[in-house]
Amino acid sequence: MELDNRSVQILQAVASTVKISSKELLEKYALTRNQLDYAVKKINEYLRGNQYPPIIRSRNGSFIVDTKVVDAFSGIMNNESQLKADETSYLDEEHRLLVILLLIFSADYLSLYHFSESLEVSKNTIISDIKKLKQQLRKYKLTIDYSRKEGYYFRGNEEIIRGLILGVTDQVMESIYNRVIFEKYLSVASVEVNHQRDVLQQVEAELHVQYTDNRIQTAPYFLVLLNRRVQNRHYIEQRFGLLAKEIMDTNEYAAIVKVLAGQKKLPKSYTEHLYLCLYMLSLKITDLSNTFSLNTDALRKQIEAFITVLEKNTIIQLNDKTQLIENLALHLTPAYYRIRYGLTSDYTITDMVKHQLDPLFFIVKSSIAPLEEFFEERIPNDEIYLITMFIGAYMQKEKPINLDNTVVKAAVVCPNGIISSKLLENTLDNWFPMIHFVSSFSIREFYEKERELDVQLIFSTNPLETQLPVIVVGNDLSSMNKTLIVNEVIQLIYKIDSYKLQPDHILAIVKKHLPMDTEIEEKIRKELMISYNSIFQIQDQEVLTNEMKLNLADVVNAESILILDEALDWPQVLRLTTENLIERGIVEPGYLAQLEAQFPEVTPSILLGNRIVIPHTVPEHGARSLGMCFAKITQGFVSQNQRYYYVVVISATDRKQHIQPMMQLLKIASDPKIIERLDQAKNKQAILAIIEESKKK
């Protein structure tokens, strides 16, 4: 028997997640209890039919999954999974809607009869599907219309329609039904796809770039569908104006036109071939020639300015900034064309990931002005979220390479571009101090350099054909299950079946013989996890999020607030505020001397929102714990011919705990209305009330 897509997703979720409850599955997939019960029954029939142990649901609603099922069906152990769709597979509603969208995008004439026959469902089902699609498309200001002459067609902005084609194509490519949908339902022949892939590879050669693996796989399908739309006389409106000349004068434009003309693929309309060229320029790349027409030196300078502002707003000094700038330049070069010319982004960030990133995202967005100055456009939030993910992982890269302590050398293989590759590499590097990560590669780069690699282990988002041991990890950080990856690493390096050493496994044995309440159980689990991580040198830290979820109100209390009414100068203010931290044991006495040496005057590097002065230094200069002293100087003080009224001296001991408090402090510093309320505050309680409110915003 075959599983429908919903059952596939549930099976992979249960197999990939060590602790997932029925309630979480109900919420994640918007199911009723009956629907979940039916899906689990269907999954177990499938498992038994393929000689796998069934999934058992415990009394508390969690699932017990045999390790054989984990190995075979989790998205971590086997990213492609053993679940494949064939031409007889029944499409669920979600994928049927995608097919209807793509058919309307690309077909010449479609009636209810065409849909009903090809999708093998009733006309009433198609009518219901189209009604749902119309509701979904309202946010794009698009609608699906029908006429006897034209059949079903889209009405709306052609650029938005093409952006949807790109997004839907990516959705289909990520599905187990991708081959069935493209070949059976859309009649996309492999010869068409291969021809478009050849064109892209010729463009790579002409531009001296290398597209990411996922783009070189999915872009040909988009180009086939785009070509059909143009053949059906759906043309893009002329909108580039003076910007067109900027593009047409570049070497990249000439190179792409040369390839397209040589292949007799150049559209007759200049706006169409301009759109096609822009699309190719906007594709993510893994390698970039120094001869690219875009002024990458100017871009690097603006990236450097962005990093300077970011360091001030996060009070973190980033290491190896040269490499960080190069990696961001590699990502932002194609992003320039997406942003500058309003093209649709070729990736999506899930709402869950966005929620996790919110504190750091706010700080990155507040620091992004130098890049927007270069692009001469506002940078979309999805682009900023991707930069935030990379910065977040990079900020955690604190582990010095000590080859004497490393057990093996490893490489990372990722098809999704430089930002995703480095994000994954930095994450794994932080998790595993015993592994020395030599580099990250695209799939094509890996196969080209495989024989030269001096590594004993590969981490990859896709299965690879290689003699080296490969640990397949999730493609999206939010779906990576650290426990499963850690188990496999331990098995490969130490030759130990670590499933039996897991704290939860040990606790389950203990609880059989010794009842315990929830509080005691959690304390024991925590101590077991600390011991487990220590034995196997596993870092137990979150990569992007503030694990403790501290707020500014948790760091600034009545003891840490000073209201200074007398006339003071900057050295006096700095001494009084820092002594508050010294007296409370948050910093060592030498912290003051360091701040006095670093900041004889107030400089832009310690100004938050041009309102609040935030003197701070690196933890090595005497920071004992996270803390702040918030001072209001009633009469103000003058430094560099500028008067200031607020100083917050900060002590930070790592790169993550203070991120959320800093976000909230930045919001205060950036909001004139809040500053006005602080100006009117007469006592500590009034200031504390304002700070308390900051965590609600």
Side-chain angles (χ1 to χ4, degrees):
M1 64 171 288
E2 294 293 332
L3 288 178
D4 59 82
N5 189 60
R6 177 190 288 166
S7 297
V8 168
Q9 291 175 324
I10 292 171
L11 173 54
Q12 290 185 330
V14 172
S16 300
T17 311
V18 172
K19 293 180 70 175
I20 190 167
S21 66
S22 298
K23 184 180 178 182
E24 288 174 298
L25 289 174
L26 292 174
E27 292 175 355
K28 183 173 183 179
Y29 298 108
L31 302 172
T32 65
R33 288 196 176 275
N34 286 339
Q35 286 174 324
L36 179 58
D37 290 343
Y38 176 77
V40 172
K41 180 181 177 182
K42 197 171 181 180
I43 288 168
N44 281 337
E45 288 175 2
Y46 175 86
L47 291 174
R48 288 190 186 97
N50 288 277
Q51 285 75 55
Y52 288 101
I55 292 170
I56 300 171
R57 198 182 323 191
S58 66
R59 289 183 180 180
N60 64 7
S62 61
F63 295 89
I64 300 170
V65 187
D66 191 274
T67 55
K68 292 178 182 177
V69 176
V70 171
D71 291 345
F73 300 106
S74 74
I76 290 167
M77 307 295 277
N78 181 359
N79 196 47
E80 288 190 342
S81 182
Q82 294 189 17
L83 301 167
K84 295 283 184 180
D86 57 35
E87 290 199 9
T88 63
S89 295
Y90 173 76
L91 288 180
D92 59 14
E93 180 185 286
E94 178 187 351
H95 288 85
R96 193 170 66 243
L97 295 181
L98 295 179
V99 172
I100 292 172
L101 277 175
L102 290 181
L103 281 170
I104 298 175
F105 283 143
S106 60
D108 188 21
Y109 182 91
L110 290 167
S111 65
L112 277 179
Y113 174 79
H114 288 96
F115 285 126
S116 179
E117 283 293 303
S118 61
L119 291 168
E120 300 178 34
V121 293
S122 70
K123 291 181 180 179
N124 286 338
T125 299
I126 296 298
I127 291 171
S128 174
D129 287 344
I130 290 176
K131 184 177 179 180
K132 291 173 185 174
L133 285 173
K134 284 183 177 181
Q135 292 174 342
Q136 294 176 16
L137 294 171
R138 283 178 186 170
K139 63 181 177 181
Y140 302 106
K141 297 183 179 179
L142 297 177
T143 187
I144 301 173
D145 285 348
Y146 175 80
S147 71
R148 289 187 177 181
K149 181 179 179 181
E150 298 182 56
Y152 282 96
Y153 64 95
F154 277 105
R155 186 158 51 85
N157 183 285
E158 180 64 19
E159 289 174 68
I160 294 175
I161 291 172
R162 293 184 183 190
L164 274 175
I165 298 174
L166 178 59
V168 174
T169 302
D170 281 346
Q171 280 183 268
V172 172
M173 285 299 293
E174 292 171 359
S175 163
I176 62 168
Y177 296 107
N178 53 37
R179 185 183 59 80
V180 174
I181 288 175
F182 283 123
E183 294 180 12
K184 178 181 177 181
Y185 294 107
L186 299 179
S187 301
V188 174
S190 57
V191 64
E192 294 179 274
V193 175
N194 290 336
H195 180 72
Q196 294 291 357
R197 190 167 288 126
D198 288 342
V199 170
L200 285 171
Q201 288 171 346
Q202 289 182 47
V203 170
E204 282 183 315
E206 286 289 332
L207 290 180
H208 305 290
V209 301
Q210 189 174 79
Y211 294 130
T212 59
D213 297 311
N214 62 334
R215 286 299 101 200
I216 206 72
Q217 291 300 318
T218 60
Y221 288 94
F222 171 72
L223 292 173
V224 169
L225 297 178
L226 179 64
N227 186 50
R228 289 186 186 179
R229 190 153 184 86
V230 172
Q231 287 176 347
N232 293 330
R233 301 176 299 282
H234 296 291
Y235 303 118
I236 199 162
E237 297 176 6
Q238 184 172 346
R239 62 169 289 280
F240 298 110
L242 295 175
L243 294 177
K245 188 175 187 306
E246 178 184 335
I247 287 296
M248 296 174 76
D249 286 344
T250 64
N251 295 331
E252 291 78 24
Y253 177 82
I256 293 172
V257 168
K258 175 184 174 183
V259 171
L260 295 175
Q263 292 288 323
K264 296 183 169 46
K265 291 291 181 182
L266 193 64
K268 294 180 181 178
S269 162
Y270 105 91
T271 53
E272 285 297 336
H273 72 242
L274 188 61
Y275 177 86
L276 197 56
C277 290
L278 280 170
Y279 169 71
M280 292 182 177
L281 286 172
S282 72
L283 293 175
K284 288 189 290 184
I285 56 179
T286 61
D287 186 40
L288 172 65
S289 166
N290 292 326
T291 60
F292 220 71
S293 293
L294 181 69
N295 191 339
T296 49
D297 286 339
L299 174 59
R300 288 183 180 93
K301 286 181 181 178
Q302 294 305 104
I303 292 173
E304 188 173 358
F306 156 68
I307 291 171
T308 299
V309 178
L310 182 68
E311 286 181 320
K312 177 185 73 174
N313 289 339
T314 57
I315 68 163
I316 290 173
Q317 296 297 307
L318 297 173
N319 301 319
D320 195 15
K321 281 183 275 195
T322 301
Q323 188 59 50
L324 175 59
I325 290 168
E326 287 306 307
N327 290 337
L328 283 174
L330 191 58
H331 168 72
L332 289 172
T333 296
Y336 172 84
Y337 297 100
R338 292 195 296 270
I339 295 166
R340 184 93 166 107
Y341 300 97
L343 299 177
T344 302
S345 170
D346 61 352
Y347 49 76
T348 56
I349 309 293
T350 66
D351 288 338
M352 182 175 71
V353 173
K354 287 179 178 179
H355 177 70
Q356 291 175 335
L357 291 173
D358 272 346
L360 185 56
F361 167 79
F362 180 85
I363 296 176
V364 171
K365 187 170 183 177
S366 300
S367 313
I368 209 76
L371 295 180
E372 292 184 330
E373 182 181 328
F374 178 82
F375 292 132
E376 298 180 11
E377 293 285 346
R378 294 295 298 271
I379 297 180
N381 281 347
D382 276 353
E383 294 279 358
I384 298 176
Y385 271 115
L386 195 68
I387 294 170
T388 302
M389 289 173 69
F390 182 61
I391 293 291
Y394 192 91
M395 282 164 52
Q396 296 295 332
K397 195 173 176 62
E398 298 174 330
K399 182 191 75 176
I401 296 175
N402 186 340
L403 296 180
D404 293 334
N405 292 334
T406 57
V407 178
V408 297
K409 287 188 281 188
V412 171
V413 178
C414 176
N416 297 324
I418 186 68
I419 293 289
S420 298
S421 298
K422 290 298 180 183
L423 175 60
L424 180 58
E425 181 186 335
N426 290 348
T427 301
L428 295 170
D429 193 28
N430 280 302
W431 284 0
F432 302 114
M434 81 292 279
I435 298 176
H436 171 38
F437 288 88
V438 298
S439 189
S440 54
F441 303 95
S442 69
I443 293 174
R444 285 190 287 171
E445 287 175 323
F446 170 73
Y447 285 129
E448 289 170 3
K449 300 175 181 178
E450 180 182 3
R451 293 183 179 180
E452 306 166 15
L453 286 178
D454 179 21
V455 297
Q456 293 79 48
L457 186 59
I458 302 292
F459 290 85
S460 175
T461 56
N462 294 67
L464 300 170
E465 293 182 9
T466 176
Q467 297 300 311
L468 291 166
V470 178
I471 294 179
V472 181
V473 298
N475 203 16
D476 182 350
L477 273 180
S478 66
S479 66
M480 280 212 277
N481 189 294
K482 179 179 177 181
T483 304
L484 289 173
I485 299 173
V486 168
N487 286 339
E488 195 168 2
V489 168
I490 291 171
Q491 286 172 337
L492 282 169
I493 294 179
Y494 300 106
K495 312 302 181 187
I496 296 172
D497 182 1
S498 64
Y499 283 113
K500 296 176 182 177
L501 300 177
Q502 279 290 320
D504 283 334
H505 181 77
I506 296 172
L507 263 176
I509 296 172
V510 174
K511 285 168 67 179
K512 284 181 182 179
H513 309 284
L514 183 64
M516 62 184 74
D517 60 35
T518 304
E519 185 179 350
I520 295 296
E521 182 180 341
E522 284 306 312
K523 286 181 178 179
I524 294 174
R525 177 183 283 108
K526 184 175 181 180
E527 290 193 31
L528 285 172
M529 184 58 75
I530 291 171
S531 177
Y532 177 88
N533 290 338
S534 175
I535 291 169
F536 295 112
Q537 301 182 54
I538 307 300
Q539 291 285 351
D540 189 18
Q541 61 182 15
E542 295 296 321
V543 176
L544 298 174
T545 58
N546 179 3
E547 189 178 15
M548 295 183 68
K549 298 295 181 186
L550 288 174
N551 290 296
L552 184 61
D554 297 316
V555 182
V556 178
N557 53 36
E559 290 183 344
S560 57
I561 294 177
L562 299 178
I563 297 179
L564 305 174
D565 294 318
E566 61 269 34
L568 300 168
D569 58 18
W570 165 240
Q572 291 172 315
V573 172
L574 182 61
R575 178 173 51 79
L576 288 169
T577 49
T578 309
E579 283 177 349
N580 174 275
L581 295 179
I582 295 170
E583 289 167 5
R584 292 190 289 129
I586 289 172
V587 299
E588 296 173 2
Y591 201 79
L592 174 58
Q594 188 63 43
L595 291 181
E596 289 174 332
Q598 280 187 238
F599 308 112
E601 297 285 351
V602 173
T603 64
S605 65
I606 56 169
L607 262 181
L608 208 59
N610 294 321
R611 300 293 187 102
I612 299 178
V613 184
I614 53 167
H616 60 278
T617 186
V618 295
E620 291 79 6
H621 290 150
R624 290 176 177 169
S625 61
L626 174 63
M628 295 183 183
C629 174
F630 188 110
K632 175 180 179 179
I633 301 89
T634 308
Q635 298 183 42
F637 66 90
V638 175
S639 179
Q640 305 274 54
N641 299 317
Q642 181 71 39
R643 184 170 291 275
Y644 303 100
Y645 295 88
Y646 300 98
V647 172
V648 179
V649 181
I650 301 169
S651 165
T653 56
D654 62 26
R655 295 175 175 234
K656 61 176 182 175
Q657 273 191 313
H658 67 285
I659 291 297
Q660 185 151 297
M662 282 304 301
M663 173 198 73
Q664 292 164 352
L665 187 61
L666 179 56
K667 284 184 177 181
I668 290 173
S670 305
D671 191 328
K673 291 182 179 179
I674 299 180
I675 294 295
E676 186 177 340
R677 288 179 60 199
L678 281 174
D679 291 343
Q680 295 169 357
K682 303 299 182 183
N683 52 47
K684 292 184 179 183
Q685 287 69 32
I687 293 174
L688 278 173
I690 295 169
I691 290 172
E692 185 68 31
E693 288 176 14
S694 68
K695 67 182 180 183
K696 301 175 185 177
K697 294 182 179 295

